[in-house]
Structures are given as C-alpha cells and as structure tokens.
Amino acid sequence: MLFPESWLRSFTDPDLTTDALSHQLTMAGLEVEETQPVAPPFSGIVVAHITDIASHPDADKLRVCQVDDGSGTPLQIVCGAPNAAAGLKVPLARIGAVLPGGMKIGKAKMRGVESFGMLCSARELGLSQDHAGLLELAADAQPGQSLRDLLDLDDTLFTLKLTPNRADCLSILGVAREVAALTGAPLRRPQVTPVPVTLADRLPVDVQAADLCGRFAGRVIRGVNARAQTPAWMKSRLERAGQRSISALVDISNYIMLELGRPTHVFDLKTISQGLTVRWAREGETLKLLNEQTVSLQPDVGVIASGDQLESLAGIMGGDASAVTLDTTDIYLEGAFWWPEAIMGRARRFKFSSEASHRFERGVDFANIPEDLEVMTRMIVDICGGEVGPLDDQILNLPSRNPVELRLDRCRRVLGIDVSQSQVEDIFSRLNLPFEVSGNVFRVSPPSYRFDLSIEEDLIEEVARVYGFEQIPDVAPMAPAVMTAAPEARHGPHLLRERIAARDYQEVINFSFVEETWEHNYAGNTDPIRLLNPIASQLAVMRSSLIGGLLANIRHNANRKQSRVRVFELGRVFARDAAVSDGDLTVKGVNQPQRLAVAAWGPAAPEQWGVPVRQVDFYDVKSDLEALLGTRAATLVCEAAEHPALHPGRAARLVLDGKPIGWLGEVHPRWVQQLELAHAPVVFEVDVEAISVSPMPAPTELSRQPIVIRDLAVWIGAGVAYGDLLHTLRQAISADPKLAIVKDIRLFDVWRDKNAVQAGQSPETSLALRFWLQDADVTLDDAQVEACMATLLDALVKVHGVRQRA
C-alpha cells in the first residue's frame, strides 16, 4: 500500500519524525517496506510569471523571456521550451539554485544574450520524465513562492507491506487508527454534513443472495457535471498513492476507497432500465468489464444485473456497459458489504486483480456504509454538482461479532512478560476494542472492521504489538540438555541420500502434485487425491509414486541434449488410507509414506576410451540398490511381476526379509515412446522405512580350515526361477545343522538350446551353481562334502523336480 505521509498526518499527527514513525509502524506489524521523498533534493526554485516573450536575435529555437520572480525586478531568461508563452506560471531556478544531481545555476550568455537563471521542466526537477516543455503551474500561484512549498515536495511516500489479515489497514483511516493507538495522538475522522435530499427518485434493488451480499446501500444523484475538473489536492494525493487521475467521478470513488477503505461503484443511471438485482451468476453468462476483458461466469460468481443485462461483477469490477463517461449526467452511487468468501479467488480465476476485490476478499467494514456514502455524496455535489435522492440501505445478513476471551495468565505465559491488567485495559482502549473484565478474563467484542480477531491468540498479538516487541526482554529458552544417542542400526534420510549419491546419482526435488495422467499411466491409480485449488490446471492431483517425476526429469534433460542421466528423489507420496469409522462419521484418511526412487538412463558409465558404450540395464540398477542395502542385500529377492510403469518381462517386485518393499525394472516401451526417448530408463522405487534399519555387524572368528568348492549343474523346467531354487537351498541349510558348512552359493552358468528357443518351444534350462563349504574347526573330508551336496540336490529334486546334469 502506497500513500503520502502528509495524507496520513491529516488524520493524526504524532510528534514523531518520518523515520521514527516508520519504525513505530514496522514494529507494530505494519511493515514499512520503503520510504522515499516525493521529489529529489533541490533548492532555489521559485514560481515565476512570464510577463513578456520575444524571439532570440541569433537563434530560431531560442526565445528571450521577461519573468517576474516576486523580487520586484524583472529577470531576463533565455529559454528554448516550445510551450514558453506570456502569462504562464513556471518554475524558475534563480542564480545560485542547485538542481537534482548537484548542478548549480549561474549567470550565462546564450548566443550573445545574457540569461539570469533557468526555466525548468518536470524532468529537470526530477518530478517526472516529461521534458516536452516547461512545467506549467496553477494560474493562482504567487511569483516568488518556493516550488517545494507550492507542490508540497517535502512530503514522503510510505510503502506498507501488509499481511493478509490486516485488511482494516488498507486505507489511510485504518493506518491512522493504528498510529493513534500506538502514539496516543488524537484521531481526526472526516466530519461531513449530509447533503440535503432534493429528489424523491429511488432505484429499486432486489438482493436475492444474502450469502453474497449482506448489506446494500445506494442513492440516485441527477444533474452532475462529469466534465468537472478533479481538485488539484485530490489529484495530487491519488497520484502519490499510485492512482492515475481519470475523471472527477472515478477519482472521487478511488479517493474514498483509499481514504476510508470503502470500495464503491458509480453506475450511469441512463444505462439501467429495470432496477438492479444482486444474485449469483448463471452458467454461461458473460460480462464485458471496465478493463475491456470479457469473462465467462460460473454460478459461484456474484453479479449485479438489470433485467437480463449484467452490469457489474459483484465486489470485483464494474461492467463496461454501465460505466460513467464524460457525458454522464445521472448516476447511481452504490456501496455494499460483500461476504469475503464470495469474493475470494474470483478475480484470480479471471487472471486479473482489482483494488476492490483485494479489500472485499479480506473483509471490509460493514457498519459505516451509509456514513461513507454521505462523505462521497458531499464530494460529488461539491465538485460535480447535482441533486441528491434519499439513501436506501438494505441490511440482510451481517457477520456476527462473537466475543473473544483473553485469559491474562495465558497472555503472560505466551509473551513471557508480566503484563498487568491495567496495561491490557489501556491497550484495548487505545485500539477501540470494546471489552468487559471478569476476574482475569477479558471478553472483547471485535469491531466491524476487524475481521482478524477470532481466537485468543489474536488478542495476545494485539497486546504484544501495542506494548512493543522491543520492550519484551530477550530471554534465552531454558530446557534440559539431554544427550540421546541415535540408534546405530537405523539409517536416517541423510545417510540414504549420501549413499545413493555416492553411486553417481544426483538428487532432484519435484512437486508433490502431479499430472493426473501420470497417476493413471505410471501408478495405475484411478482415484488419486485431488487438490481443491491447484497452482496450475495440469498439477491437479497428489502423487502416489515418485516415478513420474523422475521420468519427467529424464525427458527434460534428454530434450536438452544430455546423453546420460542418473537421478534420485527421496520424498513422500500420498495414497488414500482405509476408511476410519468414528461413531456415525466415516473419515477417509491419507497415508503419506516416504519413498526413495532412482532412475538411470543412457550409458552405464560415462564415455571413455577404455570401456565400450553400453546402455544401463536392470542389473546395473539392481547393483546400486544392493549397495544401498549393504549386508541386507543377501535377503533381497526379485519376484517377476507386472507394474503399470514397467516392461512386463523386465520388472520385479522387491521383497526384503519376506516383505514387499517396492519395484525395480525397465520402463514400459509404451511410455518410452510417449516420452520420445531413444532408450528405456531403468527405475526402482522402495519404501524408506523398510530400508532404514540394518542389523548390527556381529564379529566372528575366521576359520583356519581350507575352503572346499563344489559345482552342481541341474536341468530345470520352464517357469522355474533361479530365485526359487536359491530360496529352497537357503531353507534347507537353515533347517539342517549339518548343512551349516555351506558358506556361499553363486550361479555361474546358464545354458539353453537356441534352436528350440527359435522354434518357439520352451526347453529345459541348465543352471550351474558353485558352492563354498568350510568348517570352523576341522578340515572337511570327501564323504562329508558329498553327503552335503547330495542333501542339497535332494531338496531341489523334491521341491522343483530338477535333474542333475551329467
């Protein structure tokens, strides 16, 4: 919010300097983001009256002016401005004057003619960028008067950065109320005598939506002169507050909004034929606004209509059809209370913002509508003339101002200071907050303009603001320092990030809200959690998988000529939880587990001369996952299964210690083609909780006995997986103490009949397994080893029907 300091001091004028006032407002929660002078520093500039003008004898573009600077002695000034003319009042820099930037004016001779000063443009004085000619001053300006005094150029512009809850301070009056409460300076509210009613004309208004409009007031004014000039003082204040002067009627409406915080609207009465109707819009209705934008409306948008013709977007912006022009003679002046909930977000939906909607969606005072319209009526009549009709005021549905209680003991605990009851009473009185006291409990009734007072903490904040944050002592928090050791077996997210980054992956952070097609394609989620107010239309649902975001990262990099991408993300996903019954109420919760996802695309290793280029595959990424799991990788099982995002024959469900923890596989060719990638990325996604705990290492004595190595080759039928064989062998070893001598098992050879495969048959497969056997105490003999191998083979035969290969 931008405003000149002089405007604020016309309401309340505390004995404070500009800097002190700025600091006081900032410490009270109304942050003064910036203060800047209205004009840069300059001196020696006065009003001058051009009494005579003649052409320069030796220069076609220069003229010799005789000016009266109030000293009694005419001055001769040589000037080249095209608008210089006799009778004009303009700024004069006398000899010795200093212009912005430090340039000092002295006596000069221009083409042989002496000049005793300089007539100035607005740009030369730093007032604007206009340098087309001299700055023309008011005709009643007195020669010799200081320009800084005439134009009030010693004023300061304040820029307030208000929080959304302080809608009551979106006006000069609102800020003045705060200054008066903080400093004790008296508050001078404009006192205006109501304009006598000279017309009986009324405009019928039918408010059909009390949940849209809680109060509606207006009156007819006829015979106004819309071409009247806006007073210079009003135009100056508007311009310094960032408002462009348009016409007298529009300027008065803007002035009332800035000064009193009351957005109003002025209708051209001749465009309204059937009275006004306040209602919700109908589906498909359109309205051309004052900004020349035509919007299509939905039933949750409020409108003001006249018959079937829409006249205004309620609380947001007027319509172009009923806008006042310079030819307007009869007007209808409207002021209303629009419910904040009915205005919130509507302007942003149409991709614009207005001063009115900015205020109404935060809450505007609903009690002073008639008084504010009387002030505005007086201004219109004084500036534009006209005859005034009676003021109609309909009260339909106003907010209830429920009292808020403040417990003095709690206020002291929250603020950490021993504030007394008398101090709190004084603060509430200065803030004009009506209250009652019962014991140590204050019962405060919020005023009609304070929409931010609803809970006890709001009142505690008011006490702190006025008491002064600077007066609250700095006391370090006292808490017992108990050192707790983090369990060594648990790995936090930082360690997981460190480990996966060490495998040549780069971390990314993606939005938790994603495209709905990602949920369908990559997660098979037909009922994702939807956002009520998405930041973008395509980011409308919450993710239940991290895979979509990583694939988008790969595509983004591939489109920018990156040939190798390895990324990971550790974040939360969101899925619907089972319904929770609470008596007669059934609540659907949201489960938010943490997941770790990895995606690799392109060559398995960076390009180099010593290693041939090979695209990353399933086993490269599986190796990264095993490195992440450490010693627990021995219990990781990959089960063939199908996943919506993964290749049907190159995907696996990850099972750790018998519990599913995620998925690993190559991305489905359909999605690879859709992403326009040359190769398929390989991804895995696992539950963070499942991989965050590892068993503590247990030291064991190394055996001094030699290791015996035996190989076993078996034929297996179609559909039997190596993982199943390994699981069976490990179960047999754990069940028979005699088999504890088996220390490791590895697959080292696979053979199939290529001719049978090419013929479309499913031949048997030969798997060659290598076993490492060792006893801790004695050297193994051949009989013991052979008995062990026979037991293992027998287990495979019974469970899987394998045959030993000769």
Side-chain angles (χ1 to χ4, degrees):
M1 179 182 172
L2 178 68
F3 61 87
E5 182 182 3
S6 60
W7 197 354
L8 174 63
R9 289 187 181 271
S10 69
F11 279 78
T12 181
D13 191 8
D15 187 18
L16 295 173
T17 64
T18 298
D19 290 342
L21 178 59
S22 170
H23 179 75
Q24 187 91 308
L25 287 171
T26 299
M27 294 308 298
L30 307 183
E31 180 184 352
V32 180
E33 191 173 29
E34 181 184 21
T35 59
Q36 56 182 351
V38 170
F42 58 77
S43 61
I45 313 296
V46 298
V47 177
H49 179 210
I50 301 177
T51 57
D52 190 26
I53 191 167
S55 299
H56 193 287
D58 294 325
D60 294 338
K61 294 185 178 181
L62 296 179
R63 282 175 286 182
V64 181
C65 303
Q66 302 298 322
V67 301
D68 175 14
D69 68 342
S71 64
T73 303
L75 295 178
Q76 177 174 284
I77 308 290
V78 178
C79 176
N83 65 332
L88 204 63
K89 300 286 181 66
V90 295
L92 167 66
R94 289 171 169 167
I95 293 177
V98 179
L99 297 182
M103 186 178 77
K104 191 172 183 179
I105 301 300
K107 178 181 175 182
K109 182 177 288 188
M110 303 181 68
R111 294 288 186 95
V113 178
E114 290 185 327
S115 180
F116 298 90
M118 173 181 172
L119 301 181
C120 303
S121 67
R123 184 177 182 179
E124 289 164 338
L125 298 175
L127 302 181
S128 73
Q129 293 302 312
D130 182 13
H131 61 287
L134 300 176
L135 174 62
E136 297 184 18
L137 303 177
D140 58 355
Q142 295 299 316
Q145 182 181 4
S146 169
L147 186 69
R148 300 195 75 91
D149 294 339
L150 174 69
L151 301 181
D152 193 18
L153 298 182
D154 292 323
D155 203 354
T156 301
L157 297 181
F158 277 58
T159 302
L160 290 190
K161 186 177 181 181
L162 296 173
T163 52
N165 64 314
R166 294 310 306 271
D168 60 299
C169 292
L170 286 170
S171 65
I172 302 299
L173 175 61
V175 178
R177 275 194 302 251
E178 287 292 302
V179 173
L182 295 170
T183 63
L187 178 65
R188 298 184 294 272
R189 185 184 174 98
Q191 299 296 325
V192 175
T193 305
V195 178
V197 174
T198 57
L199 291 177
D201 296 3
R202 297 177 183 269
L203 184 67
V205 178
D206 180 17
V207 181
Q208 299 179 355
D211 56 342
L212 165 66
C213 178
R215 187 173 187 177
F216 193 97
R219 74 183 344 156
V220 173
I221 305 178
R222 295 189 182 276
V224 298
N225 176 19
R227 296 180 181 273
Q229 291 295 317
T230 302
W233 60 268
M234 180 182 289
K235 185 181 296 186
S236 174
R237 285 182 171 179
L238 288 174
E239 290 175 348
R240 292 181 183 183
Q243 293 284 337
R244 180 172 57 91
S245 177
I246 299 174
S247 67
L249 291 174
V250 176
D251 290 349
I252 292 170
S253 178
N254 288 336
Y255 186 87
I256 291 297
M257 178 183 65
L258 294 176
E259 182 170 84
L260 304 180
R262 172 67 57 201
T264 59
H265 190 63
V266 182
F267 293 90
D268 188 333
L269 193 59
K270 291 183 179 180
T271 65
I272 302 174
S273 58
Q274 304 178 31
L276 296 179
T277 302
V278 179
R279 59 174 173 83
W280 293 106
R282 301 186 182 103
E283 189 70 44
E285 286 187 313
T286 60
L287 173 63
K288 185 178 181 182
L289 301 172
L290 288 173
N291 61 2
E292 299 185 352
Q293 177 182 348
T294 300
V295 295
S296 298
L297 307 178
Q298 292 81 38
D300 63 342
V301 177
V303 296
I304 301 177
S306 177
D308 294 331
Q309 174 71 34
L310 299 187
E311 304 290 351
S312 175
L313 206 57
I316 299 176
M317 185 176 289
D320 182 68
S322 60
V324 294
T325 67
L326 295 179
D327 297 322
T328 297
T329 57
D330 302 330
I331 63 172
Y332 181 74
L333 177 60
E334 169 262 313
F337 169 72
W338 307 100
W339 282 91
E341 294 79 4
I343 307 299
M344 288 178 184
R346 272 58 168 192
R348 289 190 296 276
R349 180 186 303 175
F350 302 123
K351 295 181 173 57
F352 71 86
S353 180
S354 69
E355 293 283 354
S357 66
H358 183 75
R359 287 164 171 79
F360 279 125
E361 66 185 2
R362 287 162 171 78
V364 174
D365 186 1
F366 52 82
N368 293 329
I369 295 177
E371 291 81 357
D372 293 344
L373 291 184
E374 288 290 359
V375 175
M376 186 171 177
T377 302
R378 168 56 66 185
M379 286 187 176
I380 292 175
V381 171
D382 288 349
I383 296 172
C384 303
E387 295 184 86
V388 178
L391 183 66
D392 294 323
D393 183 17
Q394 299 185 52
I395 300 177
L396 301 102
N397 180 26
L398 297 182
S400 59
R401 311 309 287 160
N402 298 322
V404 183
E405 291 188 349
L406 169 68
R407 294 164 292 175
L408 188 57
D409 292 340
R410 174 163 172 75
C411 179
R412 291 167 176 166
R413 289 199 306 271
V414 172
L415 299 183
I417 54 176
D418 189 19
V419 59
S420 66
Q421 179 173 322
S422 60
Q423 288 176 309
V424 176
E425 290 176 354
D426 177 61
I427 289 172
F428 287 162
S429 298
R430 289 159 61 182
L431 290 170
N432 293 318
L433 300 180
F435 65 91
E436 298 175 354
V437 183
S438 176
N440 284 337
V441 177
F442 287 81
R443 188 177 176 85
V444 178
S445 298
S448 56
Y449 52 84
R450 292 300 298 269
F451 284 77
D452 60 318
L453 302 180
S454 58
I455 59 176
E456 186 176 28
E457 284 71 13
D458 296 332
L459 296 179
I460 295 175
E461 180 184 5
E462 294 301 296
V463 173
R465 290 192 314 106
V466 180
Y467 180 86
F469 291 112
E470 292 177 308
Q471 297 188 49
I472 299 177
D474 296 331
V475 179
M478 300 293 292
V482 179
M483 301 298 293
T484 57
E488 294 184 53
R490 185 167 187 83
H491 308 314
H494 295 298
L495 180 60
L496 294 177
R497 290 187 177 98
E498 181 181 338
R499 285 185 175 180
I500 201 66
R503 301 292 295 181
D504 195 24
Y505 289 90
Q506 296 185 16
E507 184 177 11
V508 296
I509 300 176
N510 293 311
F511 281 132
S512 295
F513 22 86
V514 298
E515 299 181 26
E516 188 170 355
T517 55
W518 291 7
E519 284 298 294
H520 294 166
N521 297 344
Y522 304 140
N525 186 3
T526 59
D527 186 24
I529 299 171
R530 300 184 181 278
L531 294 170
L532 295 178
N533 188 22
I535 63 170
S537 58
Q538 72 274 18
L539 304 179
V541 301
M542 301 301 291
R543 66 186 181 188
S544 63
S545 170
L546 303 179
I547 293 176
L550 296 185
L551 295 182
N553 298 142
I554 291 176
R555 181 182 185 181
H556 179 85
N557 283 273
N559 290 342
R560 284 152 183 79
K561 307 302 181 183
Q562 297 298 311
S563 60
R564 184 173 184 268
V565 182
R566 296 167 69 87
V567 291
F568 78 93
E569 181 174 11
L570 194 155
R572 295 195 179 277
V573 297
F574 305 83
R576 296 189 186 279
D577 218 342
V580 178
S581 180
D582 183 12
D584 296 333
L585 180 65
T586 299
V587 181
K588 283 189 175 180
V590 177
N591 189 21
Q592 305 178 40
Q594 273 195 319
R595 299 275 179 82
L596 173 66
V598 158
W601 176 79
E607 186 176 1
Q608 56 168 300
W609 64 269
V611 177
V613 176
R614 176 181 64 81
Q615 297 300 317
V616 67
D617 60 20
F618 179 97
Y619 297 100
D620 293 319
V621 178
K622 180 173 180 285
S623 174
D624 295 330
L625 175 59
E626 290 175 341
L628 181 67
L629 294 175
T631 58
R632 298 187 69 191
T635 63
L636 179 67
V637 176
C638 294
E639 297 180 349
E642 292 191 4
H643 186 279
L646 305 179
H647 192 297
R650 301 175 186 176
R653 178 186 288 108
L654 300 173
V655 179
L656 187 65
D657 296 329
K659 297 179 180 179
I661 65 166
W663 292 85
L664 166 65
E666 188 177 291
V667 175
H668 198 293
R670 182 190 303 123
W671 313 135
V672 175
Q673 182 180 14
Q674 188 181 84
L675 294 169
E676 300 178 342
L677 299 176
H679 309 283
V682 182
V683 302
F684 76 70
E685 183 175 21
V686 295
D687 183 60
V688 169
E689 184 64 27
I691 64 173
S692 294
V693 179
S694 295
M696 289 292 294
T700 57
E701 186 178 354
L702 295 176
S703 174
R704 297 175 178 273
Q705 305 304 320
I707 293 176
V708 177
I709 299 177
R710 288 287 187 272
D711 293 341
L712 176 63
V714 295
W715 292 100
I716 63 172
V720 179
Y722 165 67
D724 297 334
L725 298 183
L726 190 61
H727 179 67
T728 299
L729 291 172
R730 286 175 174 168
Q731 280 189 326
I733 294 171
S734 62
D736 189 348
K738 294 180 181 180
L739 300 182
I741 60 176
V742 180
K743 300 302 181 183
D744 197 7
I745 306 172
R746 295 182 188 177
L747 174 70
F748 69 89
D749 184 59
V750 179
W751 184 86
R752 293 185 183 90
D753 187 348
K754 293 182 180 179
N755 295 328
V757 173
Q758 292 174 357
Q761 301 175 4
S762 298
E764 290 184 312
T765 301
S766 171
L767 299 182
L769 306 174
R770 181 159 294 165
F771 296 80
W772 281 260
L773 301 90
Q774 184 183 40
D775 191 283
D777 301 319
V778 298
T779 300
L780 297 176
D781 55 29
D782 289 342
Q784 191 176 0
V785 171
E786 293 303 329
C788 177
M789 295 301 296
T791 302
L792 294 174
L793 177 60
D794 184 57
L796 294 178
V797 171
K798 289 180 179 179
V799 178
H800 303 288
V802 305
R803 294 184 295 110
Q804 186 173 7
R805 182 179 176 184

